[in-house]
DNA sequence: AATAAATTTGACTCAAGGTTCAAATTTTAT
DNA sequence: ATAAAATTTGAACCTTGAGTCAAATTTATT
């Protein structure tokens, strides 16, 4: 087993380190989501991990880096969803699938969608906003696809996207304070409302 | 004109003071909305008003009070909208009117809907959250009204409301960085999407 | 013009919290 | 068992920004 340890050891180390670093960020991100970045101190973060403030600096350069990585983690997950095929029979269904996965991600995986971009340095801000813009653009493309194949009503795609992306971001404010709701139920409900709104009847327009 | 000044003077004073105080809060609220509460210093607020930090304390007790009043101002405007009759011919139309007014308020009046409740003292937090809950409850009632009169599809009214209230809060993140959009256009678009979602065709469900 | 009241300011205090670092502790390798 | 590397800590430092206050300035009153 010596052979295996000497070979696996350094690999394990890096993995352990990466895992712990990830734990730090996930835990912090969750706190940021609930209480906000500036209302969460490094001591808070350390305590919930059973560590000391100073120990955090073994895993991250500074507090801002945690915020940066938190944002990144969420966006990477969302990009992952956008990459996966899961194609329906038209643009609308594709969009529904993506949106459902977004909601499930945010209600079940522990990944947090944050909004505080202004607490980042100018540089990081640029990276994060670009990332977000990229995701938005891809979602907008899905909508435009739906326009073309006739599955989605024609209108300013940008506005259409902003409207329902708001529902995702607003989740932070109320989800899990309403513990009785299952993530999947929310996802299904939201998809339905994304598609058909709230009207009961069939008439288009006035 | 002496007679008028002696009579009007004390009244004018209070009015001027109140007006200036209001200006402080509105200006600060706008900055809070764009940059966030903690990324806006008292010096920042003072500077945009052509004042000194110390002068602000002539108008408010402390920074938190500004945040509190900012929240309050938005919620009062929203309650105002909810109070006004403007009744349509069913629950859905009532809701549409309210929602349209909400969007117009937030895109045109300078009133800002903030989300940072955690930076308030426990006491103020209670007041603000109660206020918000009250507004939500009234909107939920409108939805339930629509359920009863058959104008709104039956589903968990809470979830229905959370979905489209998200669109309001998300406005902060993108509106006025997209300067070319008129507030009324957004309001109309959003009402349409609130009602009918984005699907192009008439079929209900699958 | 003189006085009083209202408003604003500069200079200061103070606390909170992010960051550093040398030393202590724990874990791994030989 | 011992040395080396990795991890954690306590005790500081340091910056930022909120809040205070007596004095200065501006505005209103007689």
């Amino acid at each position: 087993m010596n052979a295996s340890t000497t070979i696996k050891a350094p690999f394990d180390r890096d993995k352990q380190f990466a895992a712990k670093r990830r734990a730090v960020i996930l835990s912090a991100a969750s706190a940021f989501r609930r209480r906000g970045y500036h209302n969460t101190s490094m001591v808070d973060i350390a305590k919930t991990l059973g560590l000391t403030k100073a120990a955090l600096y073994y895993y991250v350069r500074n507090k801002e880096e945690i915020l940066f990585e938190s944002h990144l983690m969420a966006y990477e997950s969302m990009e992952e969803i956008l990459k996966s095929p899961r194609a329906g029979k038209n643009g609308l269904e594709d969009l529904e699938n993506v949106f459902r996965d977004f909601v499930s991600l945010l209600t079940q995986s522990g990944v947090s969608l944050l909004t505080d971009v202004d607490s980042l340095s100018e540089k990081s801000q640029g990276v994060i906003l670009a990332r977000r813009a990229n995701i938005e653009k891809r979602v907008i493309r899905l909508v435009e696809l739906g326009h073309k194949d006739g599955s989605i009503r024609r209108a300013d795609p940008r506005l259409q996207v902003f409207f329902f992306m708001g529902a995702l971001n607003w989740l932070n404010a109320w989800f899990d304070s309403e513990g009785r709701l299952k993530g999947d139920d929310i996802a299904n409900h939201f998809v339905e409302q994304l598609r058909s709104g709230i009207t009961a009847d069939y008439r288009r327009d006035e």
Side-chain angles (χ1 to χ4, degrees), chain A residues 6-190:
Chain A
T6 40
I7 291 173
K8 219 182 271 177
F11 182 68
D12 238 33
R13 269 291 163 67
D14 290 358
K15 236 179 133 179
Q16 299 253 334
F17 179 89
K20 195 137 190 189
R21 190 184 129 97
R22 190 182 160 82
V24 166
I25 292 164
L26 272 175
S27 164
S30 163
F32 292 167
R33 176 176 59 78
R34 284 171 308 181
R35 270 169 271 144
Y37 178 67
H38 288 283
N39 299 314
T40 307
S41 71
M42 292 298 271
V43 174
D44 291 337
I45 298 171
K47 260 189 195 156
T48 64
L49 291 162
L51 284 179
T52 284
K53 178 168 63 156
L56 295 178
Y57 288 86
Y58 185 68
Y59 296 99
V60 299
R61 196 188 318 281
N62 53 36
K63 192 185 177 189
E64 193 206 310
E65 184 173 282
I66 303 183
L67 180 61
F68 180 77
E69 298 277 10
S70 300
H71 272 115
L72 223 52
M73 223 169 249
Y75 289 148
E76 273 165 6
S77 299
M78 292 176 81
E79 281 162 6
E80 206 53 47
I81 289 172
L82 282 164
K83 242 171 259 168
S84 85
R86 297 255 284 104
K89 61 172 181 289
N90 56 35
L92 178 58
E93 286 195 3
D94 289 358
L95 180 63
E96 287 177 12
N97 286 336
V98 164
F99 192 68
R100 176 177 290 107
D101 287 349
F102 279 172
V103 177
S104 295
L105 173 75
L106 298 175
T107 54
Q108 308 197 33
S109 75
V111 169
S112 300
L113 191 55
L114 303 179
T115 54
D116 189 347
V117 175
D118 296 83
S119 299
L120 294 168
S121 72
E122 198 141 356
K123 203 171 173 183
S124 309
Q125 225 173 98
V127 175
I128 293 302
L129 288 179
R131 208 76 177 241
R132 181 164 98 192
N134 176 52
I135 289 174
E136 270 169 11
K137 183 168 287 179
R138 293 175 80 147
V139 176
I140 287 175
R141 279 217 198 91
L142 281 181
V143 169
E144 289 170 337
L145 211 73
H147 287 168
K148 275 180 199 134
D149 68 23
S151 58
I152 295 178
R153 174 163 35 81
R154 278 187 191 274
D156 184 337
R158 206 178 265 263
L159 282 182
Q160 289 178 308
V161 170
F162 281 147
F163 185 93
F164 60 71
M165 289 306 266
L168 292 186
N169 286 279
W170 189 229
L171 274 174
N172 287 342
W174 58 272
F175 183 65
D176 102 3
S177 50
E178 313 275 322
R180 64 206 162 62
L181 289 166
K182 272 278 294 164
D184 277 335
D185 296 337
I186 296 174
N188 286 325
H189 175 115
F190 272 25

Side-chain angles (χ1 to χ4, degrees), chain A residues 189-201:
Chain A
H189 175 115
F190 272 25
V191 166
E192 166 90 16
Q193 193 161 344
L194 158 70
R195 189 209 308 134
S196 308
I198 60 170
T199 184
D201 59 35

